[in-house]
Amino acid sequence: GQQVSKKPCKQTQAVTSYSNEGTQVTVEIHPKDTTPQIFKKLSFGKGSRRLPSLRGQDNKGFQRTEAPRPPGGKDLHAYPWDKSSLKSMPVDLQQFEKLDAYALKVNVKNSVEELVFALLKQARTDLEKVRAIWIWICHHIEYDVVGYHNKSQLSTKPIDVLQTGKSICEGYAGLFEQMCSIAGIQCMKLFGYSKGYGYKMGQTFTGDSDHAWNAVYLDGRWHLLDSTWGSGSVDDSFTKFTFRYNEFYFLTHPALFINNHFPDNSNWQLLKPTLTLKEFENNMLHNSNFYMLGLLTAQPETAVIQTVNGKASVSVDCRSATLFTFKLKGTDEHGLMTLKKHGMKLDIYPQKTGSHKLQIFAKPSKASEDVYNCVLEYVVECNSVDKAMRFPKDLHQPVGPSWFTERQGFLRPSHPEPIIHTNDGRCSVTFTLGKDISVLASLHSDNSSLTEEMRRRHIMQIHRGNQIELKIHLPHAGNFVLKIYAKKKSDPGNYDYIFNYLITCLNTEVKWPAFPQSYSKWVEDYEIVEPLSGLLPANRNVQFKLKMHGIAKVLVQAENTSPLIQNRGYWEGTCNTSGCSEVFVMVHENANHSFYSHVLKYEVETQ
């Protein structure tokens, strides 16, 4: 387990010995930076001969393989990743279910050979043999956090790892290598740098390698795996190990493995082209969650992002509908995240200069629990602050419509983008609604003195068939959040929050009054054509035009009461506002009754 000193070898040495049974064994030792690190050639004389096992017993049923060959052209995978598969060879995990369950239960501790022999009872192909060994190690060997800190108490010899049930990465890789060798599978223990525990974004790597893993030879090609990282993880203080199986590190695609494993010998990247150490250091660290959740790529590809005019942007592409959240210095206030059909886009506007940690979390849309996993980390370097992009605290992420809001029944939005800009303080948002949906909308602003009820009256709903229009008249300039809630009409329960928009208006002269107050008898598909303002001028004749159906009479009650006349589906007429402070619209639902219901209320300006 000792690192070999790094003195250059002048030339390849070859030692050849012949046994009296006609077996020729050649061991070649190469300098570290050439292709193979240690290279054994075993060639047997005629007829099959059993090799003595490490313990001197017969290796019944085991066939030693020829020596590991160095990686060559047919082992190499294209870089960057082609987004095809997370694995370097086709693997059907369902076909492993029985084998995995069997391997988990095997309980042999006295010798590595006996353990392998027990595991291979259920494994036929080389792939199955490797799988059984992998599953056993990942579930039975724990990371030795004590030994890591105190090397005197640590052994990485395979038999010691087996019997104590714990080790560090080199012990995992050594046990894996020996078990494969006994099973007749070519396997290499590889050393290199890793972006594992204690890694800091953007750090450089110097000195000795800090991690060990394996390469196995299956179906005529080399493949990579890391049983240490497959077994679980240590906590932040590096004092406690938790078994948490991770499928990602079994036969990982080399273009993904390079994300956090940089071998001492670049040939073992199994990549074409190979990456330099500098590229490895600069590349974004995508942890296994990133790929296991079906995420494909993230932009930018560097770990440190500089803001431009106070803004930094990140985007993620993924295979299927995924939900995202983010934290910038622990909060999601200073950003604007939008969900896309195949990913998300995030614009960040830090409100302080300096370095900010940005974390992005994701979960599958079908996941039942509300657990988001961290999939990306960046450092945002902010040189200048864009004060205009200070968002209201009520803004909820993600912003704007998406596949998620479509699923909730909000189809064909008139405004597909998250921000609605208005110059005159008015805007109108329309959707086609799914069946049986009742909508509630509210307006929020950080510097508004209006009550919630008054803010709600700055939005008017208009229904036409399955279309809904939300007319918005802003009370003043600034940034507003339009929150949209919904429930099934047939449901007696509360409204559920669905999504929100950001509405911005820079025109300081904007000062729209609220819409008139409506009462319960004002039916969803009634419509006000005029007057839209809930505040009427004093001492004026005001023209009324309302779209209502299924009623017998309509009256407008001011100082005097005036009837409206029905004309092609609209009720029209005028009313004089002198001498009153309020105006009511009343309907007579049945011509035979004398009872009127209030449907609308207007205020009249004071003189």
Side-chain angles (χ1 to χ4, degrees):
Q2 297 301 309
Q3 291 282 336
V4 182
S5 70
K6 300 201 174 174
K7 290 176 187 153
C9 300
K10 293 286 189 294
Q11 64 193 56
T12 300
Q13 307 163 3
V15 183
T16 305
S17 67
Y18 296 89
S19 76
N20 57 0
E21 300 199 27
T23 307
Q24 173 198 341
V25 180
T26 306
V27 178
E28 294 188 14
I29 296 123
H30 292 252
K32 180 162 182 178
D33 299 330
T34 62
T35 305
Q37 285 175 304
I38 293 180
F39 196 81
K40 301 179 201 161
K41 282 183 185 164
L42 302 177
S43 52
F44 304 119
K46 294 184 179 69
S48 69
R49 287 199 166 71
R50 289 207 192 110
L51 277 180
S53 78
L54 301 167
R55 300 237 146 185
Q57 302 141 343
D58 268 2
N59 251 334
K60 294 188 182 72
F62 291 131
Q63 184 63 53
R64 290 279 178 169
T65 52
E66 59 189 80
R69 67 161 178 81
K74 69 175 183 176
D75 301 298
L76 306 184
H77 295 255
Y79 184 86
W81 184 46
D82 60 9
K83 303 181 189 174
S84 59
S85 166
L86 300 183
K87 306 279 189 200
S88 52
M89 66 185 284
V91 170
D92 180 356
L93 294 177
Q94 283 177 311
Q95 290 192 335
F96 285 146
E97 281 176 3
K98 271 180 148 164
L99 177 65
D100 289 359
Y102 170 78
L104 281 175
K105 294 196 179 84
V106 169
N107 184 14
V108 175
K109 286 284 171 80
N110 39 344
S111 89
V112 181
E113 286 90 343
E114 279 180 44
L115 170 60
V116 174
F117 197 72
L119 285 172
L120 297 200
K121 279 181 182 155
Q122 295 289 322
R124 279 168 289 288
T125 65
D126 281 359
L127 174 58
E128 287 174 350
K129 292 174 187 176
V130 168
R131 177 70 180 189
I133 293 168
W134 159 267
I135 286 290
W136 194 92
I137 289 181
C138 287
H139 290 87
H140 291 85
I141 306 299
E142 64 176 291
Y143 196 87
D144 188 353
V145 284
V146 175
Y148 174 83
H149 293 295
N150 184 357
K151 298 286 189 286
S152 65
Q153 295 182 20
L154 180 76
S155 168
T156 56
K157 281 186 193 154
I159 186 61
D160 295 337
V161 174
L162 173 65
Q163 289 177 346
T164 60
K166 55 187 176 187
S167 190
I168 58 169
C169 56
E170 196 177 335
Y172 280 86
L175 179 60
F176 204 101
E177 182 184 40
Q178 189 175 4
M179 288 174 76
C180 282
S181 174
I182 294 167
I185 288 158
Q186 296 184 37
C187 178
M188 295 287 289
K189 180 161 64 170
L190 304 176
F191 292 94
Y193 294 130
S194 69
K195 293 181 179 177
Y197 174 81
Y199 168 72
K200 299 274 186 293
M201 269 187 292
Q203 79 172 56
T204 55
F205 291 89
T206 52
D208 285 344
S209 51
D210 60 24
H211 193 47
W213 57 92
N214 296 98
V216 289
Y217 194 72
L218 295 168
D219 287 0
R221 284 179 102 176
W222 283 106
H223 303 271
L224 301 168
L225 47 77
D226 183 342
S227 56
T228 312
W229 289 9
S231 65
S233 55
V234 289
D235 61 349
D236 289 344
S237 58
F238 214 88
T239 52
K240 182 172 181 287
F241 170 81
T242 306
F243 274 112
R244 190 182 293 113
Y245 175 69
N246 193 338
E247 176 61 45
F248 182 73
Y249 293 106
F250 179 68
L251 310 184
T252 317
H253 193 294
L256 302 180
F257 205 74
I258 193 64
N259 207 341
N260 42 22
H261 292 76
F262 188 83
D264 290 344
N265 179 337
S266 63
N267 290 313
W268 285 110
Q269 292 180 22
L270 305 185
L271 289 177
K272 181 177 155 184
T274 53
L275 271 73
T276 64
L277 180 59
K278 193 92 213 114
E279 288 170 316
F280 173 73
E281 289 169 346
N282 291 342
N283 274 357
M284 220 16 243
L285 172 61
H286 295 163
N287 61 27
S288 58
N289 285 330
F290 183 92
Y291 296 108
M292 295 299 266
L293 283 167
L295 310 188
L296 298 170
T297 56
Q299 299 293 334
E301 290 177 337
T302 50
V304 180
I305 317 172
Q306 307 287 340
T307 57
V308 177
N309 301 326
K311 170 183 165 183
S313 297
V314 173
S315 64
V316 177
D317 291 326
C318 57
R319 283 190 209 282
S320 56
T322 307
L323 293 168
F324 293 89
T325 61
F326 73 92
K327 291 255 189 292
L328 181 74
K329 272 206 165 165
T331 96
D332 67 356
E333 282 169 21
H334 307 301
L336 198 70
M337 189 173 81
T338 50
L339 293 181
K340 304 287 181 213
K341 194 164 193 170
H342 294 293
M344 73 92 177
K345 184 171 189 299
L346 171 63
D347 292 331
I348 291 284
Y349 301 88
Q351 293 299 303
K352 283 187 181 153
T353 55
S355 285
H356 305 265
K357 180 176 172 181
L358 170 63
Q359 294 170 296
I360 291 166
F361 305 84
K363 74 165 191 173
S365 66
K366 294 183 179 66
S368 49
E369 328 81 78
D370 202 27
V371 178
Y372 284 82
N373 282 304
C374 184
V375 290
L376 280 172
E377 283 193 15
Y378 288 97
V379 172
V380 178
E381 299 276 5
C382 178
N383 313 311
S384 65
V385 170
D386 184 350
K387 290 283 184 215
M389 295 309 276
R390 177 170 282 170
F391 300 124
K393 63 177 184 300
D394 280 318
L395 189 68
H396 194 79
Q397 307 291 341
V399 186
S402 65
W403 57 265
F404 177 78
T405 55
E406 268 187 25
R407 282 189 192 177
Q408 312 296 319
F410 289 79
L411 312 171
R412 292 187 274 287
S414 58
H415 293 70
E417 293 302 312
I419 304 183
I420 299 170
H421 300 279
T422 165
N423 191 41
D424 68 359
R426 295 182 297 183
C427 61
S428 165
V429 185
T430 61
F431 302 94
T432 301
L433 277 186
K435 280 190 177 62
D436 185 37
I437 293 176
S438 175
V439 176
L440 190 70
S442 60
L443 205 57
H444 304 260
S445 157
D446 283 352
N447 50 1
S448 182
S449 54
L450 297 175
T451 64
E452 186 179 348
E453 201 263 328
M454 275 311 283
R455 289 199 306 265
R456 202 163 274 163
R457 278 183 48 203
H458 281 268
I459 306 166
M460 184 164 70
Q461 287 191 33
I462 303 164
H463 291 257
R464 299 182 191 95
N466 60 355
Q467 285 259 316
I468 182 174
E469 178 186 354
L470 299 175
K471 254 190 186 3
I472 295 133
H473 286 183
L474 297 178
H476 50 78
N479 287 343
F480 290 82
V481 181
L482 171 64
K483 291 202 169 195
I484 297 172
Y485 303 81
K487 74 178 184 80
K488 278 195 156 58
K489 285 178 187 165
S490 50
D491 253 8
N494 295 333
Y495 283 86
D496 288 328
Y497 167 78
I498 307 295
F499 70 115
N500 55 190
Y501 279 102
L502 178 66
I503 302 176
T504 67
C505 177
L506 299 172
N507 181 353
T508 51
E509 288 172 23
V510 160
K511 193 170 187 246
W512 289 100
F515 292 109
Q517 186 174 348
S518 59
Y519 296 104
S520 59
K521 292 283 185 183
W522 179 264
V523 179
E524 193 174 77
D525 52 0
Y526 288 180
E527 186 178 335
I528 303 171
V529 180
E530 60 179 343
L532 282 175
S533 168
L535 189 63
L536 302 178
N539 306 320
R540 289 274 174 86
N541 278 332
V542 176
Q543 183 72 29
F544 277 77
K545 184 176 182 181
L546 307 171
K547 187 180 180 180
M548 298 190 279
H549 56 79
I551 44 182
K553 266 186 187 172
V554 182
L555 299 177
V556 179
Q557 181 191 22
E559 178 78 10
N560 300 310
T561 301
S562 331
L564 300 185
I565 310 300
Q566 191 169 17
N567 178 16
R568 295 184 191 156
Y570 292 92
W571 294 83
E572 299 177 299
T574 58
C575 138
N576 191 287
T577 60
S578 51
C580 66
S581 62
E582 295 174 330
V583 172
F584 292 93
V585 176
M586 304 186 294
V587 300
H588 204 138
E589 293 175 64
N590 188 322
N592 300 325
H593 291 171
S594 57
F595 182 72
Y596 282 90
S597 306
H598 287 78
V599 288
L600 293 174
K601 173 184 165 187
Y602 290 84
E603 312 279 331
V604 177
E605 285 177 345
T606 49
Q607 295 162 16

